[in-house]
Amino acid sequence: MDFLQSLLNGLPGSVGQGLMWGIMAIGVYITYRVLDIADLTVDGSLATGGAVCVLLTVNGVNIWLAVLIAMLTGMLAGLVTGLFHTRCGIPAILAGILTQLALYSINLRIMGWGSTAGTQSTLAVSVDKFDLLVSSRYVRELALNNPILLLAALSAVVVGLLYWFFGTEIGCGIRATGANRNMARAQGINTERNAVIGLMLSNGIVALAGAFIAQYQGSSTVDMGRGAIVIGLAAVIIGEVILGNKVNNFAVKLASCLLGAIIYYVVIQVVLRLGLNTNDLKLLTALIVALFLAIPYWRDKLLKGAGAKRKSVKEETGNA
Amino acid sequence: MLELKHISKTFYPGTVNAKTALFDLNLTLNDGDFVTVIGGNGAGKSTMLNAIAGAFSVDSGSITIDGRNITKLPEYKRAAFIGRVFQDPMMGTAPTMGIEENLALAARRGKRRTLRWGIKKVEREDYRELLRTLDLGLEDRLSAKAGLLSGGQRQALTLLMAALVQPKLLLLDEHTAALDPKTAAKVLELSEQIVTENHLTTLMVTHNMRDAITHGNRLIMMSEGRIVLDISGEEKKRLTVEDLLERFSAAAGKEFTNDRVLLGA
């Protein structure tokens, strides 16, 4: 009974966290699923978003403006990765790792802006002193300042805008770039530019999520993005498992990232209540993601062994 | 129309794997030429098509289309005037996108892509009509993912896409080689139809000698990165497979060898 009670108490917190990380996961979806690039920049750009937002806020900048600039900074990080990849011929995964590493130093500098040391690994922003958009303090209140309301609205806006964008001629070109670069080029699509646009968009959204996560927890830290890519992947994959392969609507697919992230945080909360230590979470997350990534591979292998009519038949029935 | 002048290309230069794929190649196509291309293993047929399409940059020489030098133009920009169908049916379409979305992408080839909606309602009807001409039942599956189509269906779709915006030049790179004979015949017939209806200047690589003879108004044979035979007009119409083999040995100074070549039907 106590267990259930405490779980229920923790539910709003999970939903709040889930929505923010769900927005982050949507950013991951754009690179991982749409562009077919595993972009590791996000671990850095999430913290960059938080750092920029908090720094500007404590220096008296309007909070919405701070969020906007945080997002633009994230896009800049994506641009760097994109140029590493397309202009310098560095494999995408390595390009992302390089930017991520560089961002660690940059984030310390951002948070240490104006301080005597020049670098700082955390920067606090109190909801008492600043007009923050979201704060974990109000997550259980039945009032308008409950962060879940704003986060839900923000999520809807993000999904809506992306649905529109990927339906446009430019957006379709980006989807084609991810689906088949050869075909895209043969149809006159500038695949390199599209990869850069996709990376910028993705990291902008991730930094946006970072800006909200920092406000929510009342500080930005240099480590806040560590393992973000894996949490994002977990949310994407959980969302896909729940959705199944029947739904083709792009907006629904994006929304499934949000649902996936919420479920992820509910599960995390359950295992924490069951006595697992917070330090064990990264191990757990990695295992969950590895498992979900392995399942389709095993399934294909098993089906291939089962008979000659293997995959085509499965695809037919699976999509009928 | 198309002019290749002194084109050379060596892959992996300066290594033990160095391979000269094109060697001082010259070719001029006239407007409306339908040229079939045959040749032995590694003769440079696909390399020539890829050089024209811009898949890689050539070491020397120039490529001109309608008087415009495109030698330095990136692949995606050349696409504005070149339509392509590849040997691998997977290569021509975006598998995770719908049939109509693939066509809509092709309809914007060579045009500026904007923030307007990627596919309009009126287009859908046009595509439905267009697909009906294929007689493959695709007109009722507009939103089905291209990845669900068979190899033959994909090649047919890719052909439509290649001609949707009239190209100055159509490149068919053994586009029926991966299909079963019956499907291959159908796709070839469709190609002929599209080329004739639109008066497209076409280069078609094939491994089937009979097809090379029966289609097009001109036939070229390649060996070791250059063109060794160029037959057109009445002379081509009278050509037989035996003639071709004989003339190849005489011109290239060796026997014709190709593991995959089909001499007959």
Side-chain angles (χ1 to χ4, degrees):
Chain A
M1 200 60 216
D2 275 356
F3 177 74
L4 265 180
Q5 187 65 43
S6 73
L7 203 64
L8 228 55
N9 279 337
L11 197 61
S14 302
V15 174
Q17 290 263 16
L19 284 171
M20 292 185 298
W21 285 91
I23 292 171
M24 187 269 163
I26 288 175
V28 171
Y29 185 91
I30 291 174
T31 46
Y32 185 65
R33 279 293 183 234
V34 178
L35 268 183
D36 199 19
I37 287 176
D39 175 34
L40 301 186
T41 315
V42 295
D43 282 24
S45 56
L46 184 97
T48 306
V52 169
C53 178
V54 172
L55 177 79
L56 292 175
T57 306
V58 298
N59 282 293
V61 175
N62 173 282
I63 185 73
W64 281 107
L65 186 62
V67 167
L68 182 72
I69 295 173
M71 194 169 157
L72 292 175
T73 319
M75 292 177 85
L76 204 62
L79 176 68
V80 172
T81 302
L83 294 180
F84 275 158
H85 178 41
T86 58
R87 293 268 177 254
C88 310
I90 301 170
I93 197 155
L94 189 53
I97 290 172
L98 292 176
T99 312
Q100 183 205 113
L101 186 69
L103 282 175
Y104 189 86
S105 301
I106 291 170
N107 292 339
L108 288 171
R109 285 284 174 194
I110 291 172
M111 286 187 284
W113 192 279
S115 71
T116 42
T119 70
Q120 208 164 304
S121 61
T122 56
L123 196 59
V125 59
S126 166
V127 69
D128 295 323
K129 283 195 249 164
F130 301 97
D131 210 4
L132 300 185
L133 295 171
V134 291
S135 169
S136 61
R137 187 183 294 175
Y138 310 123
V139 78
R140 272 191 291 277
E141 283 188 15
L142 287 168
L144 276 175
N145 62 0
N146 188 313
I148 293 176
L149 290 177
L150 182 72
L151 289 173
L154 182 76
S155 306
V157 170
V158 169
V159 169
L161 281 176
L162 288 176
Y163 177 72
W164 164 76
F165 178 72
F166 281 104
T168 65
E169 292 173 344
I170 294 175
C172 284
I174 295 176
R175 278 159 59 211
T177 300
N180 184 348
R181 285 201 186 199
N182 241 307
M183 170 270 190
R185 277 193 295 270
Q187 298 305 336
I189 292 165
N190 187 342
T191 51
E192 295 202 340
R193 193 189 60 188
N194 280 349
V196 175
I197 294 176
L199 284 164
M200 288 177 72
L201 197 59
S202 165
N203 282 288
I205 291 166
V206 170
L208 173 76
F212 276 89
I213 291 166
Q215 292 177 59
Y216 185 87
Q217 64 192 25
S219 70
S220 80
T221 66
V222 76
D223 283 331
M224 66 189 272
R226 181 166 290 172
I229 179 70
V230 185
I231 296 176
L233 284 178
V236 169
I237 294 164
I238 294 170
E240 284 176 345
V241 168
I242 287 174
L243 209 60
N245 56 1
K246 299 252 154 85
V247 184
N248 273 329
N249 185 292
F250 191 68
V252 178
K253 285 184 178 176
L254 292 178
S256 79
C257 297
L258 297 166
L259 188 65
I262 291 171
I263 291 170
Y264 171 81
Y265 274 99
V266 170
V267 171
I268 293 295
Q269 214 213 341
V270 169
V271 296
L272 285 180
R273 306 269 156 176
L274 287 174
L276 215 66
N277 188 300
T278 39
N279 291 324
D280 300 327
L281 285 183
K282 296 219 191 296
L283 171 66
L284 189 74
T285 309
L287 288 176
I288 290 174
V289 171
L291 186 71
F292 275 105
L293 287 176
I295 286 171
Y297 175 76
W298 288 336
R299 194 183 50 205
D300 280 2
K301 253 192 138 173
L302 225 65
L303 284 168
K304 235 170 216 164
K309 281 271 170 192
R310 72 294 147 201
K311 230 189 149 187
S312 54
V313 175
K314 173 70 194 168
E315 270 172 15
E316 290 283 341
T317 50
N319 287 282
Chain B
M1 203 266 120
L2 172 76
E3 236 189 319
L4 305 181
K5 275 191 191 156
H6 307 294
I7 299 288
S8 290
K9 176 71 187 179
T10 301
F11 290 108
Y12 316 111
T15 72
V16 287
N17 293 321
K19 158 98 182 113
T20 299
L22 298 176
F23 184 71
D24 195 26
L25 178 113
N26 292 288
L27 176 68
T28 303
L29 295 196
N30 301 313
D31 248 332
D33 262 355
F34 181 172
V35 182
T36 55
V37 186
I38 46 177
N41 291 330
K45 308 176 297 282
S46 289
T47 311
M48 177 174 75
L49 259 56
N50 286 332
I52 297 168
F56 52 78
S57 58
V58 294
D59 299 336
S60 60
S62 71
I63 305 166
T64 317
I65 285 189
D66 268 353
R68 180 172 176 192
N69 188 332
I70 60 162
T71 317
K72 298 259 183 284
L73 214 59
E75 189 179 3
Y76 76 92
K77 282 191 177 163
R78 294 189 201 189
F81 22 84
I82 297 176
R84 289 156 81 190
V85 184
F86 309 93
Q87 179 178 346
D88 180 356
M90 310 288 247
M91 264 170 85
T93 48
T96 53
M97 297 176 79
I99 293 173
E100 58 182 13
E101 285 179 310
N102 273 282
L103 285 162
L105 284 166
R108 286 156 181 78
R109 183 158 50 80
K111 301 190 178 103
R112 236 182 97 81
R113 284 166 212 270
T114 66
L115 288 176
R116 278 195 290 269
W117 205 240
I119 176 166
K120 296 194 205 78
K121 267 213 183 83
V122 285
E123 288 183 68
R124 275 204 184 95
E125 284 318 303
D126 292 348
Y127 297 155
R128 200 187 299 278
E129 286 313 308
L130 200 59
L131 288 165
R132 210 185 298 281
T133 63
L134 293 182
D135 201 20
L136 292 170
L138 296 183
E139 63 272 18
D140 302 320
R141 300 172 63 190
L142 278 181
S143 58
K145 302 267 180 265
L148 294 173
L149 304 183
S150 69
Q153 289 173 327
R154 275 191 226 188
Q155 291 303 68
L157 177 61
T158 310
L159 262 170
L160 282 191
M161 289 165 61
L164 199 52
V165 172
Q166 174 128 358
K168 288 184 192 293
L169 178 68
L170 178 65
L171 301 177
L172 306 174
D173 187 1
E174 294 208 44
H175 67 307
T176 61
L179 309 175
D180 65 83
K182 208 175 141 206
T183 316
K186 195 161 182 195
V187 169
L188 198 59
E189 188 192 329
L190 178 70
S191 314
E192 174 85 44
Q193 187 190 328
I194 286 178
V195 168
T196 319
E197 275 172 15
N198 300 291
H199 310 289
L200 298 178
T201 309
T202 304
L203 268 174
M204 178 172 90
V205 176
T206 175
H207 61 282
N208 186 320
M209 289 224 174
R210 180 86 60 206
D211 287 344
I213 291 170
T214 48
H215 293 274
N217 65 325
R218 189 171 159 194
L219 179 152
I220 60 178
M221 221 171 182
M222 293 182 71
S223 177
E224 291 172 2
R226 54 167 85 202
I227 293 162
V228 292
L229 268 183
D230 189 338
I231 306 165
S232 56
E234 283 304 311
E235 196 187 357
K236 173 168 179 293
K237 282 182 193 154
R238 288 194 304 269
L239 212 57
T240 65
V241 171
E242 291 72 31
D243 287 344
L244 210 49
L245 288 173
E246 223 166 87
R247 292 188 57 178
F248 177 86
S249 329
K254 61 172 190 181
E255 290 288 304
F256 184 88
T257 49
N258 185 327
D259 320 335
R260 293 186 302 136
V261 85
L262 294 173
L263 298 176

